[in-house]
Amino acid sequence: MDWQALRLSLLLAVATTVLLLPVGVFAGRWMAESNFRGKILLEAAIATPLVLPPTVIGYYLLVGMGAHSPVGVWFTELFGRSLVFSFSGLLIASVLVNLPFAIQPAQRAFESIPQDVRDAAQCCGMTFWRSLWAIDLPLAWPGVLTGLTLSFAHTLGEFGVVLMVGGAIPGETKTVSIAIYDQVQSLNFEGAGSMSLLLLLISLGLLVFANVLGRYAGRLHAYRNV
Amino acid sequence: MPAVSMPIAMSELIVRLQQESPIPMDAELRCTGGQLLALVGPSGSGKTTLLRALAGLVQPRHGYISCSGETWFDSAAGHYLPARKRRVGYVPQHFALFPHLDVLHNVMSGMLHRAPETRVAAAHDLLERVNLAGLESRKPGQLSGGQQQRVAVARALAREPQVLLLDEPFSAVDHATRERLYGELAMLKQSLSMPLVMVTHDLREAMLLADEMCVLHRGRTLQTDKPLELVARPVSADVARLVGIRNIYHGEIAGHAPEHECTQLRFGSIVLKTPYRPELVPGSRVQWVIPSDGVVFHRRDRPSHTERENQLQGIVDTVHKLGEITRLAVRMEDEDRSLLWLDVPSHLARRNEIAEGVTATVSLTVAAIHIIDSTS
């Protein structure tokens, strides 16, 4: 068992989830409420990581964040080190790849709040922030949490993007999925097996949790329409 | 509309809104404190859009809204107050209670303008006022439709509103509850000093509850008047149709008989006596209406004739039995062979053996005939 890789994966998953929490909430709410020209295009762009091969996403991120890219140059000037093949680069890639997992369930959850409930909140004198905190989030939290759970689980298991953007630097970019690949390459099936089993159990547990949340959200929605 | 041109009474809602798109609107309303104004019209006539504009939930292109002397919207001055800054009590069609909050906290949600320490006691007072004491800890899903409506009203009143807006407040409750809630709203209205605006597509509801009724069609306010007055004297055939009058005809002013205090109306070969309207020019073509309750059916065994009626004969064309009421269409003997609609009690229809094809005698009550003055 490569504990260092597991620790790094968990750290990456937690950091990704924490960064995606405000993104999921605000982007999800904004997408749910807004109706603008180009919305379909934006929704498609956000969903792209779901259908694109991870190596393709990884390639674009590698090029986009590489030492000669504007972002890469800016990062190097600011921090004195390269963005790619670093934990920071991996975190940015992870956040971008997980956008659809975080935003889509949150968007659906905010969309399920009836317009007249939002209207009533405004007529009660609620500001944007109070309405978000007191009405929208309590009603949409199962969706938001489902999104974050999926992002967490997906980050733990991500392989292609991690390999392209991060490589396999122990303690920096070598996550558990890369470690499993390494173990198989070196014919250590016992080590690969134990890590795979652990990932399987964690993912299964998280998906069960996400499903339970989804059902709760469904009940909440039915309850709302009494 | 400039504010200075309109004298403003205390607790008065003054509205003039216009826009072409996205939803056409050309509305003019006034409602004084303690009065209930019903906005009536068919589905899609813009009632709810107008109500949402009053609440500040949609911003019209042009116009003016003021309430109790406070300007909420003035497009000419570029002034617009959003919903949260207007003191509006809003009861949406399906009540829109916050499902995750109990009854007490739903009501307290409308009290953000009050000091926090006063909210609980004020919410209890309001719940008592709407007969919901004891249900404070229930969630909306655990309440009946009538109880939900009362919570929504309490939450709206919790805002201490300058105007109370009710969007089809009885559409989501069953018939028996609705009848009870009519009484409750009428009682509540007596204790309120702000203007009340209620959207409804139910004419009967508007007739029962409203002090004033405004007919809306395709976003336009066509006529505002006291309900009985509006039904008796619609300003146009459109209004007449929208308030459920089916007897709408063309005719010609035959002349006036001041000595009998009547104006004579030529309808085909018949001359009808109508209420005296000396301003109508003899020879002019007009439209006229008569509500079905202004048409009297004569019993075969006891025909009657009085000065206050215009007696006609016709052939029964259609008979629709609708429970205790039977709706008849009698084909008259004018040039157009028009149909005259009237309702008679079903037992009377049975006793008089009314059937399609039989001859019937009816009277048009003089006072019920209304000539639409197209020049006004």
Side-chain angles (χ1 to χ4, degrees):
Chain A
M1 176 72 74
D2 187 341
W3 292 109
Q4 190 186 44
L6 183 65
R7 200 165 54 244
L8 189 74
S9 280
L10 287 171
L11 182 65
L12 182 65
V14 168
T16 302
T17 308
V18 167
L19 288 176
L20 281 174
L21 171 64
V23 177
V25 168
F26 290 106
R29 191 179 195 268
W30 178 66
M31 298 281 285
E33 277 198 353
S34 310
N35 207 1
F36 54 93
R37 196 181 290 184
K39 184 178 175 181
I40 291 175
L41 195 68
L42 182 62
E43 283 177 331
I46 290 171
T48 307
L50 294 176
V51 292
L52 217 55
T55 44
V56 175
I57 303 170
Y59 168 76
Y60 281 120
L61 289 173
L62 188 63
V63 172
M65 299 193 297
H68 301 295
S69 70
V71 177
V73 169
W74 171 79
F75 190 88
T76 307
E77 278 177 7
L78 207 62
F79 297 102
R81 58 196 174 89
S82 164
L83 188 54
V84 289
F85 306 113
S86 73
F87 182 78
S88 307
L90 205 56
L91 182 58
I92 292 171
S94 181
V95 165
L96 292 174
V97 167
N98 280 294
L99 281 178
F101 292 96
I103 293 175
Q104 284 184 346
Q107 183 183 342
R108 301 289 168 258
F110 284 116
E111 279 171 349
S112 73
I113 300 174
Q115 182 60 45
D116 59 0
V117 170
R118 293 165 196 266
D119 290 349
Q122 284 193 58
C123 289
C124 282
M126 292 188 195
T127 59
F128 169 83
W129 291 105
R130 185 180 276 272
S131 175
L132 178 69
W133 185 249
I135 307 298
D136 290 13
L137 273 179
L139 294 175
W141 72 263
V144 174
L145 207 53
T146 299
L148 295 179
T149 308
L150 292 175
S151 302
F152 187 91
H154 185 244
T155 307
L156 274 185
E158 184 55 59
F159 177 77
V161 174
V162 175
L163 194 64
M164 294 289 281
V165 177
I169 306 165
E172 183 72 23
T173 61
K174 189 178 177 184
T175 60
V176 73
S177 52
I178 304 288
I180 292 169
Y181 180 72
D182 275 0
Q183 298 289 337
V184 173
Q185 290 292 85
S186 56
L187 302 178
N188 180 4
F189 285 94
E190 195 184 328
S194 59
M195 281 191 278
S196 297
L197 182 64
L198 187 64
L199 264 194
L200 175 69
L201 291 176
I202 292 173
S203 300
L204 200 63
L206 288 171
L207 285 176
V208 168
F209 180 60
N211 282 344
V212 169
L213 281 177
R215 287 195 186 175
Y216 181 79
R219 275 213 310 278
L220 199 66
H221 188 236
Y223 176 59
R224 194 176 305 142
N225 290 331
V226 287
Chain B
M1 180 178 294
V4 286
S5 70
M6 305 193 89
I8 293 163
M10 285 306 289
S11 293
E12 188 175 23
L13 176 73
I14 300 170
V15 180
R16 183 172 173 77
L17 299 174
Q18 280 175 321
Q19 68 176 23
E20 293 297 320
S21 64
I23 296 166
M25 202 190 293
D26 184 3
E28 196 165 346
L29 301 172
R30 283 184 99 119
C31 184
T32 51
Q35 281 213 318
L36 195 152
L37 171 70
L39 298 177
V40 300
S43 299
S45 59
K47 305 184 295 287
T48 296
T49 305
L50 179 54
L51 203 73
R52 283 169 55 78
L54 299 185
L57 296 164
V58 289
Q59 183 175 354
R61 295 278 167 91
H62 308 286
Y64 176 87
I65 303 173
S66 83
C67 192
S68 304
E70 188 180 307
T71 304
W72 286 350
F73 173 55
D74 185 351
S75 60
H79 177 69
Y80 177 73
L81 275 189
R84 67 185 171 81
K85 290 191 175 170
R86 299 181 190 191
R87 291 284 280 275
V88 164
Y90 181 52
V91 180
Q93 191 172 0
H94 298 287
F95 314 133
L97 298 177
F98 305 131
H100 57 298
L101 300 179
D102 61 23
V103 166
L104 187 70
H105 286 86
N106 259 285
V107 176
M108 284 168 63
S109 300
M111 295 183 170
L112 301 175
H113 60 288
R114 296 181 74 111
E117 64 275 13
T118 65
R119 291 176 192 166
V120 173
H124 279 292
D125 282 351
L126 267 175
L127 286 171
E128 205 156 305
R129 200 165 150 194
V130 294
N131 301 319
L132 281 179
L135 300 181
E136 289 84 353
S137 56
R138 295 252 186 109
K139 291 279 180 67
Q142 297 168 304
L143 300 175
S144 68
Q147 289 167 335
Q148 288 185 29
Q149 195 229 34
R150 281 186 245 160
V151 178
V153 170
R155 184 181 62 184
L157 292 176
R159 183 97 174 106
E160 296 181 61
Q162 291 169 311
V163 61
L164 186 62
L165 307 176
L166 308 154
D167 189 359
E168 306 259 10
F170 306 104
S171 66
V173 292
D174 60 73
H175 180 72
T177 308
R178 191 177 308 167
E179 293 294 323
R180 201 180 65 242
L181 291 174
Y182 287 160
E184 287 183 17
L185 180 64
M187 291 276 287
L188 183 71
K189 194 186 85 178
Q190 288 175 358
S191 67
L192 299 176
S193 57
M194 78 284 285
L196 286 84
V197 182
M198 178 179 80
V199 158
T200 179
H201 64 268
D202 187 335
L203 271 174
R204 182 176 157 263
E205 201 167 280
M207 301 287 283
L208 279 174
L209 296 168
D211 300 295
E212 295 264 315
M213 191 161 110
C214 172
V215 178
L216 233 87
H217 188 46
R218 293 182 185 145
R220 279 190 69 196
T221 47
L222 299 181
Q223 186 178 356
T224 305
D225 218 325
K226 291 186 170 42
L228 289 174
E229 188 68 14
L230 197 147
V231 172
R233 276 175 266 284
V235 294
S236 66
D238 276 343
V239 173
R241 270 183 217 103
L242 291 167
V243 296
I245 297 175
R246 303 178 79 170
N247 298 322
I248 305 169
Y249 310 104
H250 287 278
E252 184 186 311
I253 303 298
H256 301 290
E259 66 281 13
H260 293 111
E261 286 198 346
C262 74
T263 290
Q264 289 147 337
L265 175 70
R266 190 178 306 286
F267 178 54
S269 57
I270 315 157
V271 175
L272 300 171
K273 278 188 285 183
T274 71
Y276 185 46
R277 300 267 302 274
E279 75 277 14
L280 298 170
V281 182
S284 56
R285 293 284 296 166
V286 290
Q287 279 188 297
W288 64 278
V289 301
I290 183 164
S292 58
D293 61 3
V295 184
V296 181
F297 183 83
H298 288 259
R299 285 169 57 171
R300 281 185 176 178
D301 56 338
R302 205 191 296 169
S304 64
H305 184 64
T306 73
E307 281 287 306
R308 294 187 301 274
E309 294 172 357
N310 299 283
Q311 196 164 315
L312 303 172
Q313 276 208 330
I315 306 292
V316 175
D317 183 85
T318 310
V319 179
H320 288 153
K321 192 169 179 305
L322 307 166
E324 292 177 357
I325 292 289
T326 296
R327 183 156 295 166
L328 305 179
V330 177
R331 194 164 291 286
M332 294 185 291
E333 293 169 339
D334 64 304
E335 287 158 356
D336 296 335
R337 309 273 295 152
S338 311
L339 287 176
L340 180 75
W341 291 88
L342 68 153
D343 292 338
V344 297
S346 291
H347 67 84
L348 189 74
R350 240 186 347 264
R351 200 181 306 153
N352 284 272
E353 294 171 347
I354 296 172
E356 289 171 8
V358 303
T359 304
T361 307
V362 293
S363 279
L364 309 187
T365 313
V366 172
I369 296 176
H370 171 63
I371 296 172
I372 294 168
D373 185 2
S374 55
T375 58
S376 66

